[in-house]
Amino acid sequence: MNKTPLVIGNWKMELSHKSAIEVVSAIKKMMQQETYPADIVVCPSFPSIAAVHASVQGTPIAVGAQNVHHEEKGAFTGSVSVASMRGFITWCILGHSEVRRAEGDSDALVAQKAKLVLSHGIRPIVCIGETGQQHDSDETISVISAQIDMLLSSLDRVSLLKTVIVYEPIWAIGTGKLPDPNEVYEVLLFIRKRIAGHFDIELADRVYLLYGGSVQASNVKQYIAGPGADGVLVGGASIHPRDFMDIVSRTASAYAL
Ligand code: PEP
């Protein structure tokens, strides 16, 4: 089936407000000079979301958040509600390993957040993946299966179709350590089969599955070409506009193969 590849930039807590605007302006400029046949999402930190949203008006760039609180509203000092971001974001990263580690988000809470953002018309980007220790002791598939099953038992067909699932081996995030592409294909295939078993093959084919972890322009093709991912979630390289757009170009050309 025909899909447009998806490239998501997770800016983490790397940019000042001024730099966030400069980065998105540079991306916009490059998009005026060249055609990039991919869907692009940028995820600034909370204080820059509204300004980045204003800056991308009239462009194909979409804006996402990096997390959200699991409750609609209430006495949660320091937290950010989905309602406060509504109108500014169309995507929201959930279950990123850095958030799971810092805030203890469980698979059940990630699924709850996915349902919450979907109820506000926002598409979840759900990150799953194993630690280095789990990888080394051959527990990848059992970890992934628990994570994916929680999501599948929480979402209906329409919700799942709006959800993007990102396989991010935790040991590959920000480390420069790259997984064997064959292992990534195996995990992606496992996820698709799990979706097919829960729903059907047609739905499993349509759901977007991405790879994330130390992606650079020089290594992205191996995770996309052939039976690879439908796109990538990029952390470190996404705050450098030229690098990010090189990744977008190479993702699009590898996906077209
Ligand atoms: C991420 O933040 O999800 C990520 C994959 O980071 P990096 O590309 O820096 O490994």
Side-chain angles (χ1 to χ4, degrees):
M1 68 160 307
N2 281 342
K3 284 176 176 167
T4 304
L6 177 63
V7 181
I8 302 168
N10 172 16
W11 292 353
K12 310 197 188 203
M13 202 177 71
E14 300 288 5
L15 297 173
S16 66
H17 182 66
K18 184 170 170 277
S19 303
I21 302 303
E22 284 165 4
V23 169
V24 78
S25 303
I27 293 173
K28 281 193 315 186
K29 204 166 169 196
M30 282 182 239
M31 290 182 78
Q32 280 160 3
Q33 288 156 355
E34 214 179 300
T35 308
Y36 293 91
D39 289 330
I40 298 174
V41 182
V42 294
C43 302
S45 51
F46 294 127
S48 300
I49 283 178
V52 170
H53 164 77
S55 172
V56 300
Q57 290 314 292
T59 80
I61 304 167
V63 180
Q66 298 175 17
N67 191 19
V68 70
H69 195 272
H70 61 276
E71 294 287 353
E72 286 273 359
K73 63 185 290 190
F76 299 104
T77 304
S79 299
V80 176
S81 73
V82 63
S84 68
M85 297 188 284
R86 208 180 154 155
F88 300 116
I89 58 167
T90 43
W91 295 88
C92 186
I93 299 175
L94 300 173
H96 192 286
S97 61
E98 288 155 13
V99 176
R100 290 181 190 254
R101 194 174 54 227
E103 295 177 22
D105 282 19
S106 63
D107 295 332
L109 194 78
V110 171
Q112 186 184 334
K113 287 183 176 185
K115 285 171 80 168
L116 174 68
V117 301
L118 282 158
S119 74
H120 285 262
I122 292 160
R123 299 183 64 179
I125 300 161
V126 176
C127 302
I128 58 176
E130 81 287 0
T131 64
Q133 201 181 11
Q134 289 164 334
H135 177 258
D136 294 346
S137 38
D138 283 332
E139 290 171 55
T140 301
I141 292 297
S142 67
V143 171
I144 296 295
S145 99
Q147 293 177 324
I148 194 77
D149 286 355
M150 176 57 77
L151 201 61
L152 294 179
S153 62
S154 306
L155 301 182
D156 60 22
R157 302 176 63 89
V158 177
S159 299
L160 188 66
L161 260 182
K162 291 180 181 153
T163 302
V164 166
I165 299 167
V166 191
Y167 171 49
E168 295 206 298
I170 296 169
W171 50 275
I173 298 176
T175 58
K177 288 186 197 162
L178 293 170
D180 179 340
N182 291 319
E183 280 184 31
V184 172
Y185 298 157
E186 266 177 40
V187 172
L188 297 177
L189 188 63
F190 172 81
I191 298 170
R192 278 210 207 281
K193 282 188 179 157
R194 211 72 175 181
I195 299 172
H198 197 88
F199 293 102
D200 54 60
I201 292 177
E202 196 247 346
L203 183 78
D205 275 348
R206 289 173 67 194
V207 173
Y208 271 74
L209 302 185
L210 271 49
Y211 166 73
S214 294
V215 167
Q216 299 282 346
S218 56
N219 61 37
V220 68
K221 281 191 176 182
Q222 60 185 337
Y223 299 110
I224 301 292
D230 300 307
V232 278
L233 175 56
V234 187
S238 71
I239 60 169
H240 305 290
R242 184 71 272 162
D243 294 350
F244 183 62
M245 295 314 278
D246 279 351
I247 291 171
V248 174
S249 285
R250 291 184 195 207
T251 299
S253 58
Y255 201 64
L257 293 177

